[in-house]
């Protein structure tokens, strides 16, 4: 973390009221609320990824054929990652100025509305080219919301948590994607079982139910978020800023970039491998399993559920362990393991064995989970309070562009031209980059968030 000058430290000591540690019950309540919130946000995000793999090429891009339709479908999937840094800047601005809680309510509403409307959107057969255009706009809305969601949810937990257990409590919002992947796969399993996996009823109506169901989850999330208080760390920082004549007046994004640009860029590079493994494991392997390997949809979805359970376990273990050995070491283990695994992944998959597919999914998500667990504490610990929401969101979502948007978008054309090993090489190179960037970061577990 950037050093603080003696004058700055003296000003803080004399002007900022002491931050009392909240009761353990309030920490647990915030942790649960953050976990439920990220589950709902990522459920909305993941059902799009599942639909992009299984349904959207037929519904929204029927004229392009199977391969081109899949590429176009994943291009709309990648749009959200372009939107995420913009969402991080806008919602980070308000999160750093008006508070974490109010901003998180806005991200939840935007995500819920975008997802619900996707569930109502007619296909290309009904409204023609307008269908994919509207789909892209709504997908942009999803990405914009997630861009502001993750940083706020992790800050909410990290700024409440006891210093020596910040990794453990930071685990709860990190478990949201694992729970969301289970929930999204399960809803597609149920709708597929009810309407059939290949008939017109599922393609016309069945796939819409998971999107419409998100409205119920959003109401639950709003209830949970309205019931919690703003973080004591943010309140103390606001009080200090109000009584300090030299309080910063720059926009949070400009100040984060000016003061801690190094941390923003290193965080983006360090988490690129994490994103590439996750979105290859959740979105692309779903498509690869059904379209390339020829597995039936229920088997692929059940495999995703099993992988997500193991993924959640590794998140919990790595986050807790990072309180003992540090965030940086744990993430470096994940990056180092990802390099050989990325090269072995597609040769294993291309054996065509169902057992190999299960192993590939589970190992990919496990390696990702090792890095993802400590990230919920690492990024809040890297940045100063006054621009922490913006800084953490920028680092996280720039990593999403690098690791989450590019590999799934390039995977289909790379496979068609060079074979599946080219995808593995791409993932391995990103993992090497992440290993170098993580090594360059300082350890944060002993940093004081106040």
């Amino acid at each position: 973390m950037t050093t603080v000058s003696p004058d700055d430290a003296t000003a803080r000591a004399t002007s900022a009221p002491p931050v009392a540690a909240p009761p353990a019950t309030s920490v647990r309540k915030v942790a649960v609320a953050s976990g439920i919130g990220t589950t709902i946000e990522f459920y909305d995000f993941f059902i799009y990824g599942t639909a992009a793999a299984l349904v959207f090429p037929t519904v929204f891009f029927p004229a392009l054929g199977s391969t081109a339709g899949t590429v176009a479908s994943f291009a709309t999937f990648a749009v959200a990652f372009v939107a995420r840094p913009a969402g991080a800047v806008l919602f980070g601005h308000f999160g750093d100025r008006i508070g974490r809680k109010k901003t998180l309510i806005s991200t939840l509403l935007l995500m819920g509305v975008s997802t619900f409307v996707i569930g109502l959107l007619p296909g290309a057969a009904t409204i023609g080219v307008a269908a994919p255009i509207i789909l892209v706009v709504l997908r942009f809305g999803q990405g914009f919301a997630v861009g502001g969601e993750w940083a706020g949810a992790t800050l909410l937990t990290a700024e409440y948590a006891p210093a020596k257990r910040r990794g453990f409590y930071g685990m709860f919002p990190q478990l949201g994607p694992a729970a969301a992947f289970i929930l999204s796969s399960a809803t597609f399993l149920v709708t597929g079982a009810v309407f059939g996996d290949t008939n017109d009823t599922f393609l016309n109506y069945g796939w819409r139910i998971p999107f419409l169901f998100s409205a119920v989850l959003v109401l639950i999330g709003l209830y949970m978020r309205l019931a919690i208080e703003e973080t004591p760390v943010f309140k103390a920082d606001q009080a200090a800023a109000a009584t300090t004549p030299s309080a910063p007046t720059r926009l949070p994004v400009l100040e984060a970039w000016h003061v801690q640009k190094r941390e923003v860029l290193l965080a983006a590079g360090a988490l690129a491998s994490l994103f590439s493994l996750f979105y290859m494991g959740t979105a692309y392997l779903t498509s690869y399993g059904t379209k390339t390997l020829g597995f039936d949809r229920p088997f692929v979805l059940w495999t995703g559920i099993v992988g997500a359970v193991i993924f959640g376990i590794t998140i919990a273990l790595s986050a807790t362990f990072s309180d003992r050995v540090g965030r940086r070491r744990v993430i470096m283990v994940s990056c180092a393991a990802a390099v050989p695994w990325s090269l072995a992944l597609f040769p294993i998959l291309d054996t065509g064995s169902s057992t190999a597919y299960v192993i590939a999914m589970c190992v990919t998500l496990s390696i990702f989970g090792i890095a993802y667990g400590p990230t919920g504490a690492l990024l809040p610990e890297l940045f100063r309070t006054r621009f922490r929401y913006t800084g953490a969101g920028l680092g996280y979502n720039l990593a999403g562009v690098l690791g989450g948007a590019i590999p799934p978008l390039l995977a289909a054309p790379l496979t068609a031209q060079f074979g599946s090993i080219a995808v593995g090489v791409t993932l391995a190179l990103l993992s090497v980059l992440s290993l170098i960037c993580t090594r360059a970061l300082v350890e944060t577990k002993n940093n004081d968030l106040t």
Side-chain angles (χ1 to χ4, degrees):
M1 181 177 287
T2 305
T3 57
V4 182
S5 69
D7 291 341
D8 191 16
T10 302
R12 289 190 183 195
T14 56
S15 62
V19 181
T25 51
S26 68
V27 177
R28 289 197 296 268
K29 182 177 181 181
V30 169
V32 171
S34 295
I36 291 174
T38 54
T39 297
I40 294 166
E41 292 270 13
F42 279 94
Y43 166 82
D44 289 356
F45 203 71
F46 290 157
I47 57 175
Y48 190 101
T50 303
L54 301 178
V55 178
F56 287 174
T58 302
V59 175
F60 292 104
F61 306 99
L64 298 180
S66 177
T67 301
T70 300
V71 172
S73 184
F74 277 111
T76 67
F77 181 78
V79 163
F81 291 97
V82 178
R84 286 173 71 152
V89 170
L90 179 66
F91 288 114
H93 173 85
F94 291 108
D96 285 323
R97 289 292 174 86
I98 67 173
R100 293 38 168 140
K101 173 184 172 178
K102 293 176 182 178
T103 305
L104 284 170
I105 291 172
S106 300
T107 64
L108 187 63
L109 286 172
L110 176 59
M111 174 62 86
V113 170
S114 299
T115 305
F116 187 79
V117 175
I118 289 174
L120 299 176
L121 182 62
T126 304
I127 60 173
V129 71
I133 292 174
I134 297 172
L135 181 68
V136 168
V137 172
L138 295 172
R139 180 59 176 169
F140 189 91
Q142 282 190 318
F144 203 71
V146 169
E149 164 65 25
W150 182 87
T154 54
L155 262 60
L156 200 66
T157 305
E159 290 183 347
Y160 262 96
K164 293 189 180 298
R165 302 197 71 197
R166 205 176 288 135
F168 170 78
Y169 282 108
M171 161 189 74
F172 285 88
Q174 300 301 82
L175 288 173
F181 191 38
I182 293 171
L183 191 58
S184 64
S185 297
T187 53
F188 275 99
L189 274 171
V190 171
T191 54
V194 172
F195 295 104
D197 283 338
T198 58
N199 62 24
D200 291 340
T201 304
F202 179 78
L203 291 175
N204 290 331
Y205 305 105
W207 69 268
R208 301 178 184 276
I209 292 175
F211 288 84
L212 300 178
F213 178 65
S214 68
V216 176
L217 298 179
V218 167
L219 292 176
I220 296 172
L222 282 174
Y223 173 78
M224 293 297 297
R225 287 193 168 167
L226 287 169
I228 60 178
E229 297 293 328
E230 186 55 76
T231 73
V233 172
F234 178 78
K235 288 180 179 179
D237 192 73
Q238 290 292 95
T243 58
T244 303
S246 59
T249 56
R250 277 192 181 131
L251 293 174
V253 64
L254 296 179
E255 189 173 14
W257 188 253
H258 176 73
V259 177
Q260 292 191 263
K261 174 171 59 178
R262 178 180 183 274
E263 285 80 358
V264 170
L265 294 176
L266 286 178
L271 301 183
S273 172
L274 174 157
F275 274 98
S276 68
L277 289 174
F278 185 47
Y279 288 101
M280 289 299 293
T282 56
Y284 183 72
L285 288 188
T286 300
S287 174
Y288 197 80
T290 54
K291 292 182 169 58
T292 302
L293 301 178
F295 297 128
D296 62 74
R297 185 183 299 159
F299 169 75
V300 170
L301 292 173
W302 273 114
T303 300
I305 290 174
V306 173
V309 170
I310 296 174
F311 165 46
I313 293 171
T314 58
I315 287 173
L317 293 175
S318 64
T320 304
F321 194 58
S322 75
D323 281 330
R324 296 177 56 189
V325 304
R327 327 301 180 202
R328 188 165 150 269
R329 288 183 183 178
V330 177
I331 295 173
M332 286 178 67
V333 168
S334 172
C335 297
V339 176
W341 176 250
S342 297
L343 297 174
L345 174 60
F346 283 92
I348 291 173
L349 284 169
D350 290 343
T351 63
S353 163
S354 59
T355 301
Y357 183 79
V358 174
I359 292 172
M361 177 73 79
C362 293
V363 174
T364 301
L365 291 180
S366 295
I367 294 174
F368 162 67
I370 293 170
Y372 198 60
T375 301
L378 171 73
L379 287 186
E381 290 167 346
L382 271 177
F383 297 97
R384 297 184 183 183
T385 304
R386 64 178 181 262
F387 52 78
R388 182 172 292 140
Y389 201 129
T390 302
L394 272 177
Y396 185 80
N397 290 296
L398 287 174
V401 174
L402 184 60
I406 296 174
L409 186 59
L410 295 180
L414 281 175
T415 301
Q417 186 167 0
F418 302 106
S420 58
I421 189 63
V423 181
V425 171
T426 303
L427 298 180
L429 291 174
L430 282 172
S431 298
V432 171
L433 171 66
S434 292
L435 185 60
I436 294 169
C437 290
T438 306
R439 180 69 180 83
L441 284 170
V442 298
E443 180 51 58
T444 63
K445 80 181 183 73
N446 295 319
N447 286 354
D448 184 0
L449 295 191
T450 61

